[in-house]
Amino acid sequence: VERGTSVYLPGRVLHMLPKELSAGVCSLLPNVDRFAMSVFVTFDSAANPVHTEFVQTVIRSRAKLAYEDVEAVIQGEAEDDNPAAPFADTLKGLAELSQRLTQRRIDAGALDFDIPEVHVRIGEDGHVASIDKRERLQSHRLVEEFMLLANTSVAHELNARGYDLLYRVHDGPDPEKLREVITLASTLGHPIKTGDERPSVQQIQRLLEAIKGEPIAPVIETHLLRSMAKAMYQPENIGHFGLATDEYAHFTSPIRRYPDLVVHRQTKRMIESKPTVYSRAELDDLGRLTSESEQVAEQAEREATKIKQAEYLAEHLGEEFDGTISGVMRSGIFVVLNDTLAEGHIGVASLPDDEYYHDQEHMSLSGKRRRLQFHFGDP
């Protein structure tokens, strides 16, 4: 309970559960029987769910596959020795269904962020061997979509049967912060016309689609995420804004997230037609504790990544990297490097000698003599 979540640092994982469980008894390994809690969903030919069943099962995994191997199969580019090749028909069918479910969620108002992750590889000597962007593949989306399906199904069923549970909730964005993002988007040629109204989810989603693939996309998406409320755990259900769903809970990762373990216990009671495990007061406390521990873990992961980025770049002093201006202030500009996603500040004193005028509305610095201009989003 005190740890609340597993913490993923570069080259190191601090497991929530003892190693004997997390890496042993509860670890999903190929061709080994493991106890599981399963959600079976039957779809019709139009990809509508027609039947859902919650069962305590024994699972035997057929293979341990890397996302890249599955991606090659989905894209029809798999080599003969690809370990995912024997499962091509199943994987392609799952990919097609997941794409239809994703589109349906977006049509219903869900937001589809595509922010690349920083992948830090630590060498055998303990130093950073490489840092690069890890793009979201269709194989990632496949897994995400069916996890969302399981999470939503469990939350709906527990709620329908009158069980209190730890919901994963997400309030709408802060209007003031959202207006700042709209201004940013407008300066980059992606205006959103809202009048005095808050932009709709559909307008935000259209913005995300419009900037996809541009170097500035991760920066805009990060600003957009920061404008939104943090997702939290609590027994009071206020829905999930980002996923556009009325009922949502975390169920799919009970080994690494305590709220999922709580929901598993509730689901087990539901399957056995037994009364609830937790009182409302206990769920209030658990929601507060696990929300706090999640934020601490995220902060630790961000800080650890920044440290590793700094260590890596310290070995490359004097070299040139491509970057994008991610922020403009009176004091100078912020630049995020396109490959490593490391971000740093370049003070006015380090820019070509001039007297600079800061235009806050258009997020730019302009030199009065040389006419040099630095805009948000510039390469």
Side-chain angles (χ1 to χ4, degrees):
V1 175
E2 286 175 2
R3 179 155 278 174
T5 179
S6 295
V7 185
Y8 295 85
L9 305 175
R12 184 180 177 207
V13 181
L14 303 173
H15 292 286
M16 178 181 77
L17 296 176
K19 191 176 179 181
E20 291 79 6
L21 293 175
S22 59
V25 177
C26 299
S27 184
L28 193 58
L29 302 172
N31 302 312
V32 177
D33 286 352
R34 289 285 187 250
F35 290 117
M37 192 85 76
S38 298
V39 182
F40 292 101
V41 184
T42 305
F43 288 88
D44 63 17
S45 58
N48 297 306
V50 293
H51 181 68
T52 306
E53 196 176 357
F54 306 86
V55 190
Q56 295 182 76
T57 59
V58 176
I59 185 172
R60 177 174 282 243
S61 168
R62 301 285 185 86
K64 184 176 182 178
L65 306 177
Y67 284 106
E68 292 76 12
D69 292 333
V70 174
E71 185 70 15
V73 167
I74 293 172
Q75 302 301 336
E77 300 169 354
E79 303 288 340
D80 291 341
D81 59 350
N82 186 320
F87 312 100
D89 290 344
T90 299
L91 292 169
K92 286 179 180 177
L94 287 169
E96 183 189 348
L97 177 57
S98 71
Q99 287 168 344
R100 295 172 78 176
L101 296 178
T102 299
Q103 191 57 52
R104 184 173 294 166
R105 283 194 307 103
I106 291 171
D107 292 344
L111 295 175
D112 185 33
F113 288 96
D114 210 5
I115 300 176
E117 289 183 16
V118 180
H119 180 226
V120 180
R121 193 171 66 81
I122 306 296
E124 292 182 6
D125 59 358
H127 290 97
V128 182
S130 64
I131 297 182
D132 50 41
K133 285 191 298 190
R134 179 179 282 163
E135 305 287 352
R136 261 175 93 208
L137 305 172
Q138 185 57 44
S139 54
H140 290 123
R141 290 171 174 272
L142 183 158
V143 173
E144 289 165 12
E145 201 56 56
F146 293 122
M147 288 200 293
L148 289 174
L149 176 66
N151 289 339
T152 307
S153 301
V154 167
H156 174 76
E157 191 70 15
L158 281 168
N159 184 42
R161 296 215 203 170
Y163 284 85
D164 283 330
L165 70 145
L166 264 190
Y167 290 97
R168 178 68 167 178
V169 300
H170 184 219
D171 210 350
D174 177 275
E176 191 58 42
K177 289 181 179 176
L178 195 53
R179 268 194 290 273
E180 291 175 11
V181 180
I182 292 167
T183 303
L184 292 181
S186 296
T187 63
L188 297 172
H190 298 289
I192 298 178
K193 293 176 182 169
T194 61
D196 295 329
E197 302 293 317
R198 189 167 79 180
S200 67
V201 178
Q202 286 77 10
Q203 285 176 308
I204 297 173
Q205 181 56 38
R206 281 200 293 273
L207 170 63
L208 292 174
E209 289 170 3
I211 62 175
K212 195 167 283 186
E214 293 186 18
I216 199 63
V219 178
I220 288 280
E221 291 189 345
T222 301
H223 278 280
L224 198 51
L225 271 180
R226 288 172 185 163
S227 77
M228 298 194 175
K230 277 200 171 294
M232 297 174 62
Y233 298 105
Q234 62 184 44
E236 181 188 354
N237 183 25
I238 61 170
H240 197 294
F241 174 83
L243 295 173
T245 181
D246 294 331
E247 299 156 318
Y248 192 67
H250 272 168
F251 164 82
T252 51
S253 300
I255 299 165
R256 64 183 183 88
R257 287 189 306 224
Y258 200 81
D260 303 55
L261 197 52
V262 170
V263 173
H264 261 247
R265 289 169 178 158
Q266 298 285 66
T267 306
K268 184 177 167 75
R269 289 296 179 108
M270 178 185 75
I271 291 169
E272 296 173 346
S273 299
K274 291 181 179 178
T276 183
V277 186
Y278 300 97
S279 69
R280 181 65 180 250
E282 287 173 321
L283 290 174
D284 272 324
D285 286 342
L286 284 170
R288 181 177 47 79
L289 285 168
T290 52
S291 295
E292 288 173 359
S293 59
E294 178 188 42
Q295 289 172 24
V296 168
E298 286 179 353
Q299 181 69 16
E301 290 167 15
R302 276 197 300 270
E303 292 296 324
T305 299
K306 284 181 181 178
I307 288 168
K308 292 303 178 187
Q309 285 169 326
E311 285 180 8
Y312 177 76
L313 290 169
E315 301 293 322
H316 296 272
L317 292 177
E319 295 180 31
E320 291 187 7
F321 293 84
D322 291 325
T324 304
I325 296 179
S326 58
V328 180
M329 300 175 69
R330 195 180 303 279
S331 62
I333 58 175
F334 286 91
V335 174
V336 60
L337 300 186
N338 296 343
D339 290 336
T340 62
L341 298 181
E343 189 174 32
H345 180 257
I346 301 175
V348 168
S350 297
L351 297 175
D353 184 33
D354 206 338
E355 186 180 346
Y356 287 93
Y357 167 72
H358 177 227
D359 183 341
Q360 188 167 352
E361 183 183 351
H362 296 100
M363 293 205 68
S364 67
L365 278 178
S366 303
K368 292 186 177 178
R369 294 193 308 276
R370 300 190 182 190
R371 306 284 187 192
L372 280 175
Q373 292 193 327
F374 299 92
H375 291 95
F376 175 85
D378 281 353

